[in-house]
Amino acid sequence: MTVFGDLIGQDRPIDVMRRAAAAAAEAVAGGRGAGMTHAWLFTGPALRSAAATAFAASLLCRDQGCGHCDDCHQVEVGSHPDVTFVRPEGLSYSVRQTRELVLKAAGAPTLGRWRIVLFEDADRVTEAAANALLKAIEEPPPRTVWLLCAPSPDDMIITIRSRCRVVTLGTPSTEAVANVLVTRDGVPHDVALDAARAAQGDIGRARRLALDEEVRRRRDDVLSIPRSLTGVAECITAAERLVKTSTEDADAATTALNETETAELRKVYGEGSSGKGLNKGLVRGGAGALKELETMQKSRATRIKRDSLDLALLELVAFYRDVLAVQFGAPVELANEDRRHEVEAVARASTPEQTLRRTDAIMKCRERLAANVNPQIAVEAMTLALRSPA
């Protein structure tokens, strides 16, 4: 089923999504007389968590998600006592964290009919964590509902996927995304169109491209790579630049947050408190907590670095997809319409077979990075393959 289309162009997404989600629940559960489905998997290119949040509101609201009552508001802002939001920040979600979550999910609802667990990026669970999660989904408490979010159904292990009702969100059109940017953010229409094409249906990404000059600059740097790979030295330089940029992104996103988290934890354990022996004893007692926090922060920084690098690789994939479209004369919209002259130049200088091999090299690099290969080595191998005419 597709419940995404009505979302585009609305000032308050939850106002529309909660009706679509409620209708989906009625069609699936009520229409077949099978009772409430206790595990849902929201997949699609963007706004998966927004759809799941709206669905949670529709389940807890007395009017199937009116969008205006206390329940709907609390779900929307993330403060409802019966909704647990899970947002993995590190490289993965561990089995220990999953078991703690399962125990928490087993409790009775406080205010509403259901206790809901909304698990963003559920594809980041480890294999052991997935097994623990599977057990909870197979035999859920009667009033617990799991809402899992993942890019695609294939990103979840088949045993979990087969036990979930899958809600697939469609990709909005370029014009629809551009209209959101124009009406909601006041972006000029031509800028909004370029951002919407480049984001390929991801409203959040389109908004950042339209409003943040630094984001646009980094995208331009990535898209300048294909024509800059004129020699081995240039390939090494391009790889270094990509990895360095992803590291800077991680540092910018985590430095201030890390300092705040560390200061707050030290305060909790009594640093700066008065009293004989109090400060030293409590800080010593918090050494384990501080070490655990530092481990989480390092994992989060690595995840942000990988996500930044992966986004750059996907930009390159979109570029070569456009090259292939031009080579075959396909009547499709180019994601990089604003760089058509560069796309056409690369298309003229290569064959479709070479374009496919280059795309494969990028996807291989993504696989290597996911397998913890050193980023510099993986990206260097990719840039050398992009240069090779063979």
Side-chain angles (χ1 to χ4, degrees):
M1 72 188 74
T2 299
V3 297
F4 189 83
D6 290 340
L7 173 60
I8 302 305
Q10 303 298 321
D11 290 332
R12 287 172 52 82
I14 196 171
D15 288 346
V16 176
M17 280 304 304
R18 48 91 181 172
R19 290 196 294 269
E26 290 177 1
V28 173
R32 298 185 181 182
M36 176 62 190
T37 300
H38 286 262
W40 298 75
L41 176 59
F42 288 79
T43 68
L47 290 178
R48 299 178 294 273
S49 61
T53 300
F55 196 178
S58 74
L59 292 176
L60 294 173
C61 176
R62 294 173 178 80
D63 192 27
Q64 291 189 332
C66 66
H68 306 289
C69 68
D70 287 343
D71 283 326
C72 287
H73 175 69
Q74 288 176 350
V75 173
E76 187 175 5
V77 300
S79 63
H80 198 288
D82 291 331
V83 182
T84 299
F85 290 87
V86 184
R87 300 180 175 93
E89 293 186 327
L91 283 172
S92 61
Y93 201 72
S94 70
V95 64
R96 178 183 62 80
Q97 292 172 307
T98 303
R99 287 171 178 163
E100 291 174 355
L101 179 63
V102 169
L103 288 175
K104 185 176 181 179
T110 303
L111 300 176
R113 296 177 56 201
W114 308 102
R115 176 170 289 278
I116 299 172
V117 180
L118 199 162
F119 200 144
E120 299 181 15
D121 297 324
D123 54 305
R124 291 186 180 178
V125 295
T126 63
E127 183 177 353
N131 291 330
L133 183 61
L134 173 62
K135 184 67 174 178
I137 290 175
E138 282 182 325
E139 301 174 3
R143 299 177 68 183
T144 298
V145 179
W146 291 83
L147 307 181
L148 310 180
C149 302
S152 74
D154 291 338
D155 290 318
M156 298 301 299
I157 63 173
I158 189 170
T159 49
I160 289 181
R161 186 172 73 238
S162 64
R163 287 162 176 79
C164 295
R165 186 71 66 186
V166 179
V167 179
T168 302
L169 307 180
T171 303
S173 67
T174 296
E175 190 61 44
V177 174
N179 185 56
V180 172
L181 299 179
V182 171
T183 58
R184 188 181 301 174
D185 300 303
V187 177
H189 189 261
D190 57 338
V191 175
L193 274 178
D194 285 342
R197 291 192 192 99
Q200 301 180 72
D202 187 333
I203 297 178
R205 172 67 175 166
R207 190 172 186 272
R208 290 190 293 274
L209 283 169
L211 300 178
D212 193 328
E213 184 177 350
E214 180 65 16
V215 173
R216 292 196 297 273
R217 184 192 65 76
R218 290 179 179 176
R219 174 175 176 265
D220 288 341
D221 287 345
V222 171
L223 295 179
S224 68
I225 288 176
R227 301 205 69 190
S228 71
L229 304 178
T230 56
V232 173
E234 288 76 12
C235 291
I236 302 301
T237 299
E240 290 177 349
R241 190 166 67 246
L242 271 179
V243 175
K244 181 180 178 181
T245 298
S246 65
T247 302
E248 291 173 348
D249 285 346
D251 290 341
T254 60
T255 299
L257 180 58
N258 289 352
E259 292 174 354
T260 300
E261 290 174 341
T262 301
E264 290 178 350
L265 187 61
R266 288 183 178 276
K267 185 177 180 180
V268 167
Y269 279 92
E271 185 173 76
S273 301
S274 60
K276 185 177 180 180
L278 179 62
N279 181 46
K280 181 183 294 185
L282 286 181
V283 171
R284 186 187 304 119
L290 285 170
K291 185 176 181 180
E292 184 176 347
L293 176 62
E294 290 171 358
T295 300
M296 185 279 292
Q297 290 172 341
K298 289 178 181 178
S299 179
R300 179 173 60 198
T302 302
R303 168 54 60 185
I304 294 174
K305 178 179 177 180
R306 285 190 184 178
D307 286 349
S308 175
L309 192 52
D310 191 61
L311 179 60
L313 298 182
L314 290 176
E315 295 280 12
L316 288 174
V317 170
F319 180 87
Y320 283 110
R321 187 213 68 164
D322 287 349
V323 170
L324 194 64
V326 170
Q327 288 172 330
F328 281 111
V332 297
E333 181 180 63
L334 300 185
N336 298 282
E337 182 64 42
D338 56 328
R339 307 175 76 96
R340 175 177 279 272
H341 64 288
E342 294 181 28
V343 171
E344 292 178 340
V346 173
R348 289 192 299 268
S350 59
T351 66
E353 290 80 6
Q354 291 170 342
T355 303
L356 287 173
R357 280 194 286 270
R358 286 166 174 157
T359 303
D360 287 342
I362 301 171
M363 300 306 292
K364 184 65 175 179
C365 180
R366 295 184 69 207
E367 293 176 5
R368 288 169 174 164
L369 291 173
N372 293 322
V373 173
N374 181 284
Q376 184 67 36
I377 295 174
V379 177
E380 283 180 6
M382 179 198 73
T383 54
L384 289 169
L386 295 182
R387 172 183 175 269
S388 174

